[in-house]
Amino acid sequence: KRKLNSITMGTRSLTRVIEAHNENKRIVTMYRQYDGHLYSHGKDLATLLNKITLTNGKQGRGTANGIQCFAAQLIAHFKKGPGDIYLMPTDTDDAMQDYIYEISSPNGSGFYVEVFSNIKSFAFFSGDLSEFNKLISNETKSINFPLPF
């Protein structure tokens, strides 16, 4: 939560899983009401992404059988009880969010992450998982990240 003019507000985010090989079709759009900033939700996403290997047919602990399987695992990972995490229609663009995270796998074997501020006008970060890990590591050390407004 952040405090502006004595009003406590949540930092909202949307997280989308994208099928890059299918005209960038959105598979799922997840809304997080609180802690959507990089040093919380971004860090949580990086932790999850680092635990999962995308596969094509192979199943087992620590794998996702494609990006659609990962989308289901994403929801299972974040949804722990009532509130905070919600599924939105996949065409949702404006949920009064501060950040948008998009996860895809253009080559089918690794994750690619883009992070947008407020609206999807420009990505202030685009990169593979190793680059996202560096961003998160730097952001959580310095807490010096782009403000969404």
Side-chain angles (χ1 to χ4, degrees):
K1 293 181 181 179
R2 67 175 187 247
K3 198 165 183 137
L4 287 175
N5 300 328
S6 300
I7 299 172
T8 302
M9 302 173 64
T11 304
R12 300 169 189 90
S13 66
L14 292 176
T15 302
R16 298 182 180 129
V17 179
I18 307 293
E19 258 186 322
H21 68 277
N22 189 8
E23 298 178 2
N24 291 326
K25 182 179 178 182
R26 296 177 187 172
I27 300 170
V28 69
T29 298
M30 181 183 82
Y31 172 80
R32 185 170 183 173
Q33 190 169 4
Y34 297 104
D35 297 331
H37 37 73
L38 280 171
Y39 59 84
S40 184
H41 188 64
K43 185 177 178 181
D44 294 346
L45 271 176
T47 298
L48 174 64
L49 294 170
N50 283 297
K51 290 180 181 178
I52 295 177
T53 301
L54 285 175
T55 64
N56 184 9
K58 181 181 176 190
Q59 298 178 19
R61 188 174 182 93
T63 64
N65 187 12
I67 198 76
Q68 292 174 332
C69 181
F70 167 75
Q73 291 181 16
L74 172 80
I75 301 306
H77 175 80
F78 281 100
K79 188 65 177 170
K80 303 298 183 199
D84 192 29
I85 301 294
Y86 302 89
L87 290 178
M88 304 295 282
T90 55
D91 64 350
T92 299
D93 288 320
D94 186 1
M96 296 174 50
Q97 72 277 351
D98 299 295
Y99 295 96
I100 300 171
Y101 299 84
E102 290 191 348
I103 303 163
S104 62
S105 180
N107 62 13
S109 64
F111 292 109
Y112 188 82
V113 181
E114 291 185 283
V115 185
F116 301 86
S117 181
N118 269 349
I119 57 173
K120 191 178 173 179
S121 56
F122 85 99
F124 67 80
F125 172 80
S126 295
D128 64 19
L129 182 55
S130 66
E131 293 166 329
F132 187 58
N133 287 331
K134 288 176 192 170
L135 172 74
I136 296 305
S137 176
N138 290 337
E139 296 304 329
T140 56
K141 285 179 189 169
S142 66
I143 312 298
N144 181 15
F145 55 92
L147 293 175
F149 44 85

